[in-house]
């Protein structure tokens, strides 16, 4: 890992350990905005990590961003750090201004012929707190255009996912936007899926750490339950799933930093990590027993986020279907060459 990523890792760990406590996460689920946490992230420049230096950012890559995404996933940090980083990156790619404050990502909207924004964007992360919404639409020139619009004064219906994170519906009716073309060849679903893959890899790290620690502390028949072979076998499976998720998330992010066409790697990452979430959450709660479901324990906070994130920006099943269709279109003779070329 580079010196820059080491510094990022040390900074985000210290910051989240101080500000993203279990009480903070529980408070956010009750509707309390963690102002101290968000201010600390902004003051340290982490929300602009992927924005260009000309836009006041650090010019970081997706590989750099993964350091922050995994940390946010481990701590279940209840702020739109991931969404703001990606939105700022998209604005920079299109040469648009990056404002201060929380940003969010919009899907399900379209530009009208007069260049205004219409439609209802569903499941908008942290829409009620964001100052600006960012979308990607395909223009008449065949390129993706990055579209941004202030969210002050728009109609917002407050909703939430099973992790009780804000997922609002926002309706636009002829709203004025700022837009510009970019050179990206993948749309917002791909970048959103990559973002969620990084968060889930971090959440799986938490599940493994907590489960191993609990198995070493909890005693039955006079010895830690981690000494029983059946539990050891389950923990070994959990460890392989967490390792696989981290590896494929890292590979997809590095690929995204090298090319503007990482669609295959992102599809594989979202598919593989979704499978890892299914297996790992089950094992982790079996190891913990009923205590993992109690509100006082942190396990359910991360579990509910993992279950929510795996459904966002395409489920693992939908990404797997996309991979299958592409393989069929390329033909059987190309399958081995395609797989081994990556």
């Amino acid at each position: 890992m580079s010196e820059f990523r080491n510094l990022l890792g040390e900074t985000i760990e210290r910051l989240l350990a101080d500000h993203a406590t279990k009480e903070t996460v529980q408070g956010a689920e009750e509707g309390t905005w963690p102002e101290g946490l968000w201010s600390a992230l902004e003051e340290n420049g982490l929300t602009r990590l992927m924005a260009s230096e000309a836009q006041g950012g650090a010019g970081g890559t997706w590989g750099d961003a993964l350091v922050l995404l995994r940390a946010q996933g481990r701590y279940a940090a209840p702020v739109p750090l991931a969404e703001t980083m990606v939105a700022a990156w998209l604005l920079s790619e299109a040469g648009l201004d990056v404002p201060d404050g929380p940003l969010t990502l919009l899907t399900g909207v379209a530009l009208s012929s007069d260049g205004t924004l219409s439609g209802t964007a569903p499941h908008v992360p942290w829409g009620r707190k964001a100052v600006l919404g960012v979308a990607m639409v395909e223009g008449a020139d065949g390129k993706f255009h990055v579209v941004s619009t202030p969210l002050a004064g728009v109609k917002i219906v407050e909703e939430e996912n099973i992790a009780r994170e804000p997922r609002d519906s926002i309706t636009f009716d002829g709203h004025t936007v700022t837009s510009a073309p970019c050179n990206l060849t993948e749309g917002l679903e791909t970048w959103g899926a990559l973002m969620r893959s990084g968060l889930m890899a971090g959440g799986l790290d938490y599940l493994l750490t907590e489960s191993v620690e609990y198995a070493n502390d909890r005693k039955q028949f006079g010895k830690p339950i981690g000494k029983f072979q059946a539990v050891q076998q389950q923990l070994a499976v959990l460890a392989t799933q967490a390792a696989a998720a981290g590896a494929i998330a890292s590979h997809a992010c590095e690929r995204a930093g090298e090319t503007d066409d990482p669609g295959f790697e992102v599809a594989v990452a979202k598919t593989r990590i979704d499978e890892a979430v299914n297996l790992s959450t089950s094992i982790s709660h079996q190891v913990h027993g009923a205590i993992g479901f109690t509100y006082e324990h942190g396990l359910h906070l991360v579990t509910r986020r993992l279950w929510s994130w795996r459904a966002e920006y395409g489920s693992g099943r939908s990404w797997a279907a996309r991979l299958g269709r592409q393989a069929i279109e390329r033909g059987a003779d190309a399958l081995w060459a395609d797989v081994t070329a990556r």
Side-chain angles (χ1 to χ4, degrees), residues 11-336:
T11 301
I12 190 68
E13 282 290 337
R14 183 180 65 252
L15 193 154
L16 294 182
D18 289 342
H19 295 282
T21 62
K22 183 176 68 176
E23 290 72 22
T24 301
V25 180
Q26 291 174 335
E29 292 194 358
E30 298 300 325
T32 302
W33 170 250
E35 185 60 41
L37 170 59
W38 182 256
S39 296
L41 291 168
E42 281 204 315
E43 290 167 2
N44 283 274
L46 300 181
T47 57
R48 288 174 175 258
L49 173 66
M50 297 174 71
S52 66
E53 294 182 7
Q55 302 279 20
T61 65
W62 270 97
D64 301 326
L66 181 61
V67 176
L68 304 190
L69 292 172
R70 291 183 74 164
Q72 184 179 4
R74 281 196 300 277
Y75 282 88
V79 286
L81 171 62
E83 289 81 1
T84 300
M85 283 198 301
V86 174
W89 172 67
L90 291 173
L91 292 170
S92 289
E93 287 288 315
L96 300 176
D97 291 338
V98 180
D100 291 329
L103 309 179
T104 191
L105 303 170
L106 307 173
T107 57
V109 292
L111 281 180
S112 303
S113 57
D114 60 358
T116 59
L117 193 66
S118 298
T120 298
H123 315 302
V124 179
W126 308 92
R128 71 197 71 169
K129 298 299 298 185
V131 298
L132 193 78
V134 177
M136 293 182 74
V137 300
E138 192 167 350
D141 55 3
K143 286 188 172 182
F144 279 112
H145 289 232
V146 176
V147 176
S148 69
T149 183
L151 297 183
V154 298
K155 181 182 178 182
I156 297 179
V157 177
E158 295 189 356
E159 299 174 10
E160 58 187 26
N161 60 18
I162 61 170
R164 304 191 68 186
E165 294 177 316
R167 293 294 185 268
D168 303 325
S169 292
I170 301 181
T171 300
F172 300 93
D173 184 13
H175 280 69
T176 302
V177 300
T178 302
S179 68
C182 66
N183 293 322
L184 299 172
T185 59
E186 296 287 343
L188 190 54
E189 186 177 41
T190 296
W191 306 117
L194 184 57
M195 173 181 70
R196 290 290 182 255
S197 294
L199 290 170
M200 288 191 289
L204 291 170
D205 291 337
Y206 172 87
L207 260 59
L208 176 61
T209 301
E210 286 295 308
S211 298
V212 170
E213 183 176 330
Y214 184 79
N216 284 325
D217 291 341
R218 173 68 171 160
K219 292 183 178 179
Q220 281 287 5
F221 307 110
K223 59 182 180 181
I225 62 173
K227 295 294 184 182
F228 292 98
Q229 191 174 32
V231 176
Q232 291 174 347
Q233 192 274 335
Q234 290 287 74
L235 290 175
V237 173
L238 174 54
T240 59
Q241 296 300 317
I248 189 60
S250 177
H251 179 65
C253 284
E254 294 300 338
R255 180 71 176 170
E258 298 167 353
T259 175
D260 61 355
D261 183 23
F264 177 85
E265 286 78 9
V266 174
V268 173
K270 192 64 162 60
T271 302
R272 181 64 185 87
I273 296 175
D274 276 19
E275 180 184 9
V277 167
N278 293 340
L279 291 169
S280 300
T281 51
S282 175
I283 291 173
S284 186
H285 280 275
Q286 286 174 0
V287 170
H288 278 79
I291 193 172
F293 289 95
T294 62
Y295 202 68
E296 289 71 21
H297 199 282
L299 182 60
H300 76 99
L301 296 173
V302 177
T303 299
R304 287 187 286 112
R305 279 157 181 79
L306 286 169
W307 287 345
S308 296
W309 295 337
R310 71 178 174 181
E312 295 176 341
Y313 301 103
S315 65
R317 176 175 295 184
S318 67
W319 283 103
R322 180 182 301 194
L323 288 170
R325 285 193 297 271
Q326 292 173 349
I328 292 171
E329 290 170 359
R330 288 191 294 265
D333 292 342
L335 179 60
W336 181 249

